[in-house]
Amino acid sequence: EVQLVESGGGMVQPGGSLRLSCAASGFTFSSYDMIWVRQPPGKARELVATITSGGVTNYGDSVKGRFTISRDNAKNMVYLQIDNLKPEDTAVYYCNRNLHEGLVFAPYHDWGQGTQVTVSS
């Protein structure tokens, strides 16, 4: 059973930083590419960042230069370092295995609880 537990969110001022964590279990973590996805209030899910099993990263245009995805295969953990936070970054942030479905999230059925990031002055 795939389980994903996100943590590290909170309320911060614009320009602040957060480090989100995702603890994964129920699958061979080191064999899978991973993603971070966010869902702003009232809006659709948005792909934020990807990381391959080998550590190659990619980012959505809206977060490029501010977000850094990383992983620790020994700990079954994936992280998202967020710097220079903006109000438009406010969302629930989720991690998951990368199913390589592009921007289609219907195939994902094992979302964790997510972690709330709120950016406000």
Side-chain angles (χ1 to χ4, degrees):
E1 179 184 355
V2 173
Q3 291 188 325
L4 302 157
V5 181
E6 300 92 344
S7 62
M11 179 177 288
V12 298
Q13 294 183 337
S17 297
L18 285 171
R19 191 194 194 205
L20 310 185
S21 298
C22 171
S25 62
F27 61 98
T28 305
F29 178 81
S30 61
S31 297
Y32 281 86
D33 302 338
M34 299 292 291
I35 61 173
W36 280 97
V37 171
R38 68 184 181 185
Q39 186 165 29
K43 301 183 72 174
R45 291 184 176 95
E46 175 190 12
L47 181 64
V48 171
T50 67
I51 186 166
T52 70
S53 62
V56 179
T57 62
N58 211 342
Y59 301 91
D61 288 340
S62 64
V63 307
K64 196 170 299 181
R66 300 187 297 116
F67 287 31
T68 304
I69 187 172
S70 61
R71 67 191 297 158
D72 186 338
N73 287 342
K75 297 180 178 179
N76 286 9
M77 297 286 290
V78 60
Y79 306 98
L80 187 68
Q81 176 69 39
I82 312 176
D83 297 317
N84 192 23
L85 277 156
K86 302 177 179 180
E88 53 263 43
D89 295 321
T90 296
V92 179
Y93 284 71
Y94 302 90
C95 64
N96 218 315
R97 297 186 291 179
N98 191 349
L99 302 182
H100 297 283
E101 297 285 347
L103 302 180
V104 177
F105 297 108
Y108 293 83
H109 301 295
D110 51 12
W111 300 106
Q113 83 286 353
T115 186
Q116 176 72 52
V117 172
T118 302
V119 185
S120 177
S121 59

